[in-house]
Amino acid sequence: RMSRRVQQLRDHDTNPCIVETDASRKCMDENNYKKDMCTAYFLQYKSCRKFWHGIMMQRRRNGVKPEMPSAEERKKILESVG
C-alpha cells in the first residue's frame, strides 16, 4: 500500500508533472544513476514545475479553487498555449 504522500504524487489531478517525473526516473535507472546522462529530462521536469507553479500562484492570487487545475483543465490550458 502506498503512503498518502506517494498517492498524492501519483495523482494526475494534483501532480501535473508525473510524465516528466517518470521519464527522469527511468533515465536514471537506465543510466546507472549518472545524473549528467539525464540533464534533458531534469530540465523538462523543472520547466514543467515552473510553468504549473506560475499557474497555481496566479489562481491563488485570483482566489480560484482548487489552486492546481484538474488534469482535464490542464489539458485545455496546454492546448490554448500551443
Side-chain angles (χ1 to χ4, degrees):
R1 186 163 143 72
M2 285 190 282
S3 74
R4 192 178 180 131
R5 177 81 180 128
V6 171
Q7 281 177 328
Q8 196 177 26
L9 290 173
R10 299 302 307 163
D11 181 348
H12 285 274
D13 278 331
T14 55
N15 182 355
C17 302
I18 291 176
V19 171
E20 292 79 2
T21 302
D22 290 348
S24 297
R25 195 167 289 137
K26 183 176 183 225
C27 180
M28 289 290 281
D29 288 344
E30 290 173 353
N31 290 288
N32 211 14
Y33 292 85
K34 293 187 181 123
K35 288 183 178 178
D36 57 323
M37 301 289 283
C38 301
T39 306
Y41 293 100
F42 298 148
L43 290 173
Q44 282 180 315
Y45 173 78
K46 195 174 174 180
S47 67
C48 177
R49 294 298 305 171
K50 186 177 177 182
F51 177 81
W52 290 112
H53 181 75
I55 299 276
M56 205 169 85
M57 296 312 289
Q58 188 64 51
R59 287 169 65 104
R60 186 177 292 165
R61 279 191 293 274
N62 296 339
V64 178
K65 296 281 184 193
E67 290 166 1
M68 179 55 71
S70 68
E72 193 58 42
E73 247 185 301
R74 287 196 311 267
K75 190 176 166 193
K76 290 176 185 158
I77 290 169
L78 287 175
E79 285 167 3
S80 76
V81 177

